[in-house]
Amino acid sequence: MTDQTFTLPQRRSKEISLEEAGALIAARSRVAFGNEPMALVRAALRAGARDLTIIPPVTTSLSTDLLIAAGAVDTLYVCYIGFETLGMAPAFRRAAEGGTLTVVEADEITVILGTRTAAGGMPFAPVANIYEATDLPALNPQLKRVVDPFTGVEMYAIPALRSEICLIHAQEADIYGNAVCLGSNNQEADKALASDFVIVQADRIVSTDRIREQPYRTSLPSNLVDAVVHAPFGNHPLVSGRHYRMDV
């Protein structure tokens, strides 16, 4: 027998520029947000993004309202959009009242289960004893009445909410895509799994050794991330957990 030497392949850096990220977003039409990725939103607008369908997390604010104000959004899945103590989302309100925006009425269950269903590769999620007590099915025709083949019970089906590209803000990431989202809303991983392409903007690019020091803080492992952008203060004027406060 002869000795054989195996050489592990070199890992490829996934770091790209903000301009490259903007072009990637503008080339897609169905966009999901894992949180509030302000730097990537601004880059998309500079790259000429238009006619977008936005699937935000259950709450969204300036990132979505800015896109609407710029006339870049055609359809919005909305559970809550607003600035909380700072008031309503003005661009959303004008567009919704003026009929220039298609609004899909989506409650927390629709957004979370629809995303999780897409993440698992399933076409829909059946839910019982929820929408019968609301008028959401009348407002959202995407909620379909189905029959459980095992019990014969009627229930509603939530469609899978898959996206072409997902944008996520992280406080730290390495060049391979391992990302730390402090103050996570626990929706980032599902959003990433439910998307064809994932870009993370990070306040800081750190070494992989730092990621390994506290692996439990990793919100997104590298296999879920396609590209990383170094964006210091990238969520300004919004908050970035443990890094900077909202600028108001």
Side-chain angles (χ1 to χ4, degrees):
M1 295 181 63
T2 59
D3 292 337
Q4 292 182 332
T5 301
F6 295 95
T7 302
L8 292 174
Q10 291 292 317
R11 296 182 72 183
R12 179 182 61 85
S13 171
K14 297 178 181 178
E15 187 173 359
I16 63 174
S17 70
L18 198 53
E19 291 72 24
E20 289 174 307
L24 287 169
I25 301 163
R28 272 85 169 176
S29 61
R30 195 170 171 90
V31 182
F33 294 163
N35 38 40
E36 296 286 320
M38 288 301 300
L40 292 174
V41 164
R42 289 188 286 258
L45 288 174
R46 289 193 295 269
R50 287 291 182 273
D51 301 320
L52 301 177
T53 293
I54 302 295
I55 308 171
V58 295
T59 64
T60 187
S61 63
L62 184 58
S63 60
T64 301
D65 210 46
L66 182 63
L67 286 168
I68 295 171
V73 181
D74 175 79
T75 302
L76 174 65
Y77 286 77
V78 62
C79 175
Y80 168 83
I81 178 171
F83 302 152
E84 298 182 346
T85 57
L86 300 179
M88 305 288 287
F92 166 75
R93 184 169 184 170
R94 285 195 301 270
E97 290 178 345
T100 59
L101 175 69
T102 299
V103 177
V104 180
E105 296 280 355
D107 62 344
E108 290 95 334
I109 298 167
T110 301
V111 172
I112 291 176
L113 284 187
T115 300
R116 190 161 293 172
T117 296
M122 297 179 289
F124 64 87
V127 293
N129 304 319
I130 294 176
Y131 293 122
E132 289 82 356
T134 77
D135 59 358
L136 272 175
L139 298 172
N140 182 357
Q142 293 187 21
L143 299 173
K144 302 293 187 181
R145 228 24 198 177
V146 296
V147 177
D148 181 342
F150 301 102
T151 65
V153 174
E154 285 195 355
M155 57 187 63
Y156 280 95
I158 296 172
L161 297 181
R162 187 154 191 90
S163 62
E164 294 176 273
I165 193 164
C166 178
L167 316 180
I168 296 173
H169 173 74
Q171 282 70 33
E172 295 181 351
D174 66 11
I175 61 174
Y176 306 116
N178 296 296
V180 176
C181 302
L182 301 175
S184 166
N185 59 27
N186 295 318
Q187 297 173 68
E188 294 92 351
D190 282 343
K191 290 286 189 183
L193 284 165
S195 187
D196 299 332
F197 196 91
V198 179
I199 304 179
V200 169
Q201 63 170 55
D203 288 316
R204 298 176 60 200
I205 298 295
V206 300
S207 69
T208 304
D209 287 339
R210 177 174 172 81
I211 297 291
R212 287 172 178 154
E213 286 173 4
Q214 297 177 307
Y216 55 85
R217 298 201 313 162
T218 302
S219 307
L220 293 171
S222 60
N223 64 298
L224 298 186
V225 177
D226 297 286
V228 179
V229 174
H230 185 203
F233 292 94
N235 235 33
H236 183 269
L238 302 180
V239 66
S240 183
R242 302 186 191 178
H243 277 57
Y244 45 89
R245 297 180 179 180
M246 185 183 297
D247 187 1
V248 294

